[in-house]
C-alpha cells in the first residue's frame, strides 16, 4: 500500500489532502519534529536528506512535493485534478506546481529565519542580531514577500483557482505558501482574493479529512 511518511505540521499535509481528494487508500507513518523544529533522524532511513514529504509506493521512494503530486496524479488521477494537455490551463497548472516551492517559499523561509534569529541568539549578541535581522526584513524580505502576495492577488482576480476556473492539484501545492503568508506575512492586509482562496480550500471535505488524519497543523492557523 502507498505510504506517506508524514512529519507533523509540514508540507506533507498537502500530500494527505491530495490523496483524500483522489480517494486513494494509503497508510501514514508519523514523525515528530525535534525541539529545534527539524525532522528526526529516522526519516533518513527513508530518504538520505531526511526531509518530508516522502512517499513509498510500489517499490518507489519519492520526495519533493511537486514530484510527489506529479506521480500521484499520473498514477492514480485518471485525468482528475489536472487540466487537459495542450491547453492554457495545463500550462498554468505546471507553472504554479513548480512556482510554489521554486519561488514562493523563498521569501517566506527568509521571513521565518530572520524572525527566529534574534530569539535564538546568545543574550549578549541578541541586540546586534535583532538589528541585522530587522534591516534584512525591512530592506529585502518584506518587499519581496509583498510582491509575491500582490502577484497571487492579481492572478486570483483572473480566475477562481490558480490554473483556471477548475480546482486542481496546483491549488493544493499553492496552499502551503498562502497559509504561511497568512500566518507570518500579513496576507490578510489588502489581499481579499487570496484570503477567499484560503476559505474555499479550508471548506473542502477532503481538506478536513486530511487534517483529521494528519494531526495538528498550525502553519496557517
Amino acid at each position: 500500500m502507498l505510504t506517506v511518511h508524514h512529519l507533523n505540521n509540514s508540507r506533507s499535509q498537502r500530500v494527505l489532502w491530495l490523496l483524500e481528494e483522489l480517494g486513494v487508500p494509503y497508510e501514514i507513518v508519523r514523525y515528530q519534529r525535534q525541539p529545534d523544529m527539524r525532522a528526526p533522524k529516522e526519516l533518513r532511513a527513508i530518504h538520505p536528506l531526511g526531509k518530508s514529504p516522502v512517499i513509498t509506493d510500489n517499490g518507489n521512494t519519492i520526495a519533493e512535493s511537486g514530484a510527489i503530486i506529479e506521480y500521484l496524479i499520473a498514477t492514480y488521477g485518471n485525468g482528475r485534478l489536472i487540466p487537459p494537455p495542450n491547453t492554457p490551463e495545463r500550462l498554468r497548472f505546471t507553472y504554479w506546481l513548480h512556482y510554489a516551492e521554486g519561488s514562493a517559499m523563498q521569501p517566506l523561509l527568509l521571513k521565518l529565519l530572520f524572525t527566529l534569529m534574534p530569539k535564538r541568539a546568545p543574550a549578549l549578541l541578541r541586540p546586534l542580531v535583532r538589528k541585522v535581522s530587522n534591516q534584512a526584513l525591512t530592506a529585502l524580505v518584506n518587499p519581496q514577500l509583498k510582491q509575491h502576495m500582490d502577484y497571487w492577488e492579481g492572478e486570483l482576480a483572473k480566475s477562481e483557482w490558480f490554473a483556471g476556473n477548475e480546482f486542481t492539484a496546483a491549488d493544493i501545492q499553492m496552499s502551503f505558501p498562502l497559509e504561511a503568508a497568512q500566518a507570518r506575512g500579513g496576507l490578510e492586509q489588502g489581499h481579499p482574493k487570496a484570503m477567499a482562496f484560503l476559505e474555499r480550500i479550508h471548506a473542502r471535505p477532503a481538506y478536513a479529512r486530511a487534517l483529521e488524519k494528519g494531526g495538528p497543523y498550525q502553519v496557517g492557523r
Side-chain angles (χ1 to χ4, degrees):
M1 178 179 286
L2 189 154
T3 300
V4 180
H5 297 271
H6 175 60
L7 180 66
N8 67 302
N9 199 27
S10 76
R11 291 165 168 83
S12 62
Q13 188 66 37
R14 290 181 297 195
V15 177
L16 303 182
W17 177 19
L18 175 58
L19 290 168
E20 291 294 329
E21 291 280 359
L22 293 174
V24 177
Y26 63 95
E27 63 179 5
I28 301 175
V29 177
R30 301 178 187 277
Y31 304 83
Q32 292 295 314
R33 290 185 182 275
Q34 301 176 98
D36 61 5
M37 297 304 293
R38 289 186 296 181
K41 61 182 181 181
E42 287 80 7
L43 263 175
R44 294 180 189 170
I46 309 302
H47 188 277
L49 295 181
K51 295 183 180 296
S52 181
V54 179
I55 67 169
T56 50
D57 185 42
N58 293 323
N60 300 307
T61 299
I62 306 164
E64 294 294 339
S65 300
I68 291 171
I69 289 176
E70 288 194 66
Y71 172 83
L72 293 176
I73 290 294
T75 306
Y76 299 104
N78 296 317
R80 293 172 294 166
L81 300 183
I82 185 171
N86 303 315
T87 62
E89 290 79 11
R90 182 63 164 266
L91 184 59
R92 290 180 67 183
F93 171 90
T94 302
Y95 170 77
W96 291 110
L97 192 66
H98 294 280
Y99 161 89
E101 292 293 333
S103 296
M105 285 306 299
Q106 294 181 26
L108 287 161
L109 289 172
L110 288 173
K111 176 88 170 179
L112 178 62
L113 174 65
F114 284 116
T115 300
L116 290 177
M117 280 175 57
K119 301 175 183 178
R120 299 188 177 184
L124 290 176
L125 295 177
R126 200 164 295 156
L128 176 61
V129 174
R130 182 178 294 110
K131 181 178 180 180
V132 172
S133 295
N134 288 341
Q135 287 177 342
L137 287 169
T138 300
L140 176 65
V141 178
N142 290 340
Q144 285 190 13
L145 183 53
K146 184 179 185 304
Q147 185 177 21
H148 281 276
M149 293 190 295
D150 291 346
Y151 176 44
W152 306 338
E153 186 71 13
E155 292 300 303
L156 288 171
K158 299 176 183 178
S159 59
E160 185 175 11
W161 302 104
F162 276 101
N165 292 319
E166 299 292 331
F167 175 80
T168 70
D171 299 297
I172 295 176
Q173 179 78 326
M174 281 298 296
S175 66
F176 194 90
L178 268 73
E179 287 181 323
Q182 181 189 19
R184 55 179 178 263
L187 183 67
E188 70 281 359
Q189 300 172 10
H191 304 97
K193 298 292 186 183
M195 293 300 293
F197 169 88
L198 289 178
E199 290 181 7
R200 289 195 298 276
I201 65 171
H202 293 162
R204 295 184 71 86
Y207 184 97
R209 292 195 301 272
L211 277 182
E212 291 175 4
K213 294 182 179 180
Y217 177 64
Q218 299 177 351
V219 172
R221 295 290 186 269

